[in-house]
């Protein structure tokens, strides 16, 4: 073998520490797979004193100097956030270094500029670990399915929220109780906002949509709702119709009406899905992504979506790929934005609703409610009327209609004298 490939590691937290350890433990195997040894040139951290297990000669606080060193071939970034990560990666690629990143926030915000910098520098930008941890997902979308047309990508891409919703379904607990359990077990951060409010999943949805539909999509384009408003009643109502509740990242190619161009709809929100759907069985902190392609049909990717070692596994997989390309003097396939599809606003995106109403037990209530749906062009798929007196309820599942029409209908139902309360509203996916 010739001279080793030198790697600059940016960040040495949970994921970075696992990457560093695996590079050492698997050095011989990695060398055999790549064709040259991989050596760590340096590790950039903010507080060197907090990393006593890392050789002192590798530690540095000057990340910019590290990524632009002439002897560095590859850069692995696991520090997260926008800055200084963006400046460091742009400088590295301008200096001819290939990059492996796990930074979903940066890629969802500025992926177009980063890919342009990689193309200009003739280097690789790989980021398998940014979306679903150890699950091989992005490379199949970018390469294995490059000859197909994808219609839909639907996924559970946040383990914290999936754990919370799974526990609510299993135990009947409310959101607060399930969140407290997730925090105690280490599945939720002390500040769980990014997870429970859907920011994490929205960033991942933007990356998935950009790859799947060859169109630039940013996190700001993604409609986002979290799970903090999901109640035990919502979960119970879902079970009554053979469904469970999941926080879904939904990316779909929506056909334009009457000759209009297709568009991309990208959204993150809780939804009821049938218990027969493959995603319904994904429990605990696991992730899964369901892909619908025109030729390949339905595909499912499942595994651990977070954690130090699973994420480090994806980082090392990318590192081997870009190292092989460096040895062979080539760059791998990048993303393409040739389709240039626009992002359809959530208000215009067709969805379905499950609506539970407490109603007055008087003649004509069902007709009044049905008329309100009809007034907004929303067709009712099923309706169930239960109870009498103060316990009278209506449970309605709609057909697909523009989301704005459904939302307006529900708002108007709340103002109807015959409706004592709207007890549950959730979108529905996967029902025939």
């Amino acid at each position: 073998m010739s001279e080793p490939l030198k790697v600059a590691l940016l960040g040495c937290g949970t994921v970075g520490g696992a990457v560093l350890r695996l590079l050492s433990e698997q050095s011989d195997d990695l060398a055999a797979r790549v064709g040259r040894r991989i050596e760590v040139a340096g590790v950039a951290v903010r507080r060197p004193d907090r990393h006593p297990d890392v050789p002192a000669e590798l530690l540095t606080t000057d990340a910019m100097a590290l990524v632009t060193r002439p002897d560095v071939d590859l850069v692995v970034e696991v520090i997260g956030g926008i800055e200084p990560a963006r400046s460091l990666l742009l400088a590295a690629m301008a200096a001819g270094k290939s990059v492996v990143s796990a930074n979903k926030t940066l890629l969802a915000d500025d992926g177009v500029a980063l890919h342009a910098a990689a193309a200009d520098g003739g280097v690789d930008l790989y980021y398998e670990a940014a979306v679903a941890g150890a699950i091989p997902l992005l490379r199949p979308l970018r390469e294995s399915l490059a000859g197909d047309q994808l219609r839909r990508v639907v996924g559970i891409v946040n383990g914290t929220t999936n754990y919370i919703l799974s526990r609510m379904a299993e135990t009947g607990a409310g959101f607060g109780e399930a969140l407290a359990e997730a925090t105690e077990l280490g599945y939720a951060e002390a500040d769980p906002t990014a997870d429970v409010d859907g920011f994490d999943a929205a960033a991942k949805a933007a990356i998935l949509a950009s790859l799947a539909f060859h169109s630039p999509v940013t996190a700001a384009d993604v409609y986002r709702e979290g799970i903090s408003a999901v109640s035990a009643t919502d979960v119970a109502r879902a079970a009554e119709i053979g469904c469970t509740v999941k926080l879904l990242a939904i990316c779909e190619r929506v056909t334009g009406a009457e000759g209009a161009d297709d568009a991309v709809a990208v959204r993150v929100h809780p939804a009821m899905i049938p218990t027969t759907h493959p995603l319904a069985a994904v429990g605990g902190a696991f992730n899964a992504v369901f892909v619908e392609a025109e030729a390949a049909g339905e595909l499912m990717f499942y595994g651990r979506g977070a954690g130090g070692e699973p994420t480090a596994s994806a980082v090392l997989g990318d590192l081997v790929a870009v190292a092989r390309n460096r040895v062979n003097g080539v760059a791998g396939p990048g993303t393409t934005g040739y389709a240039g599809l626009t992002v359809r606003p959530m208000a215009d995106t067709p969805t379905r609703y499950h609506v539970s109403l407490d109603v007055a037990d008087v003649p004509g209530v069902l007709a009044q409610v049905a008329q309100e749906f009809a007034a907004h062009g929303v067709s009712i798929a099923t309706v169930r009327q239960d109870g009498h007196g103060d316990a009278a309820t209506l449970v309605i599942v709609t057909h697909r209609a523009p989301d704005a029409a459904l939302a307006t209908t529900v708002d108007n139902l709340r103002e109807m004298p015959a409706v004592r309360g709207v007890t549950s509203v959730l979108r529905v996916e996967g029902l025939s």
Side-chain angles (χ1 to χ4, degrees):
M1 293 185 184
S2 52
E3 289 297 311
L5 295 171
K6 297 293 187 73
V7 176
L9 177 61
L10 307 182
C12 198
T14 301
V15 176
V19 169
L20 191 62
R21 179 176 56 78
L22 291 173
L23 281 171
S24 174
E25 293 176 356
Q26 300 181 19
S27 60
D28 290 342
D29 285 341
L30 293 173
R33 295 167 193 168
V34 171
R36 286 168 65 177
R37 298 197 74 81
I38 297 177
E39 291 184 359
V40 177
V43 181
V45 295
R46 287 185 295 179
R47 295 284 301 275
D49 58 300
R50 295 188 177 180
H51 304 279
D53 296 335
V54 180
E57 65 272 16
L58 292 181
L59 292 170
T60 179
T61 58
D62 192 344
M64 187 61 76
L66 176 61
V67 301
T68 53
R69 268 173 45 179
D71 63 322
V72 167
D73 301 288
L74 312 168
V75 173
V76 173
E77 182 267 315
V78 288
I79 56 178
I82 301 297
E83 289 292 355
R86 173 167 46 198
S87 296
L88 292 170
L89 297 192
L90 290 174
M93 290 186 285
K97 328 292 185 184
S98 287
V99 166
V100 173
S101 175
N103 194 333
K104 58 183 173 288
T105 304
L106 177 58
L107 287 156
D109 262 29
D110 219 12
V112 171
L114 291 170
H115 282 290
D120 290 343
V123 298
D124 286 323
L125 172 63
Y126 279 32
Y127 43 92
E128 186 68 68
V131 172
I135 305 172
L137 173 62
L138 301 190
R139 206 170 305 160
L141 292 181
R142 186 177 58 224
E143 300 176 25
S144 304
L145 294 170
D148 209 337
Q149 185 169 97
L150 304 187
R151 301 302 307 181
R152 209 160 187 258
V153 179
V154 182
I156 297 167
V157 294
N158 182 273
T160 300
T161 52
N162 199 53
Y163 179 85
I164 291 169
L165 293 172
S166 294
R167 292 301 291 162
M168 290 174 70
E170 292 162 1
T171 68
F175 168 77
E177 184 181 347
L179 172 59
E181 181 180 330
T183 303
E184 183 179 349
L185 294 173
Y187 292 125
E189 302 287 344
D191 179 2
T193 302
D195 295 322
V196 300
D197 286 351
F199 290 100
D200 175 85
K204 295 171 179 178
I207 295 170
L208 286 172
S210 298
L211 284 175
F213 305 119
H214 307 282
S215 301
V217 178
T218 70
D221 296 321
V222 181
Y223 174 83
R224 174 188 55 79
E225 283 182 24
I227 66 166
S228 57
V230 176
S231 67
T233 299
D234 292 325
V235 176
R237 292 297 192 197
E240 290 174 0
I241 62 168
C243 289
T244 190
V245 180
K246 298 292 184 182
L247 182 71
L248 299 180
I250 303 171
C251 316
E252 54 190 341
R253 185 172 182 138
V254 184
T255 303
E258 298 180 0
D261 292 337
D262 285 2
V264 176
V266 192
R267 48 199 166 101
V268 167
H269 55 70
M272 295 181 179
I273 57 173
T275 54
T276 54
H277 193 286
L279 289 175
V282 179
F286 279 78
N287 284 191
V289 176
F290 191 74
V291 177
E292 299 174 23
E294 289 203 352
E298 298 175 343
L299 306 168
M300 178 88 158
F301 300 85
Y302 170 83
R304 294 190 179 275
E309 292 201 354
T311 306
S313 171
V315 169
L316 259 66
D318 278 351
L319 186 59
V320 167
V322 301
R324 284 173 173 164
N325 290 342
R326 179 57 63 106
V327 168
N328 293 323
V330 299
T335 61
T336 59
Y338 74 88
L341 302 179
T342 59
V343 178
R344 178 169 293 184
M346 185 62 184
D348 300 332
T349 298
T351 60
R352 301 181 70 183
Y353 275 22
H354 173 284
V355 184
S356 226
L357 307 171
D358 281 344
V359 296
D361 188 10
V362 295
V365 170
L366 177 56
Q368 293 177 48
V369 169
Q371 178 57 40
E372 189 61 46
F373 280 92
H376 299 281
V378 179
S379 175
I380 294 175
T382 65
V383 61
R384 189 177 78 244
Q385 187 167 1
D386 294 328
H388 298 284
D390 291 341
T393 63
L394 285 177
V395 179
I396 295 167
V397 178
T398 74
H399 287 294
R400 283 164 68 89
D403 195 78
L406 288 160
T408 300
T409 301
V410 171
D411 287 343
N412 289 350
L413 288 172
R414 288 190 170 98
E415 303 301 321
M416 290 178 60
V419 176
R420 294 195 300 263
V422 179
T423 58
S424 176
V425 179
L426 276 179
R427 294 179 180 86
V428 180
E429 296 291 328
L431 286 179
S432 57

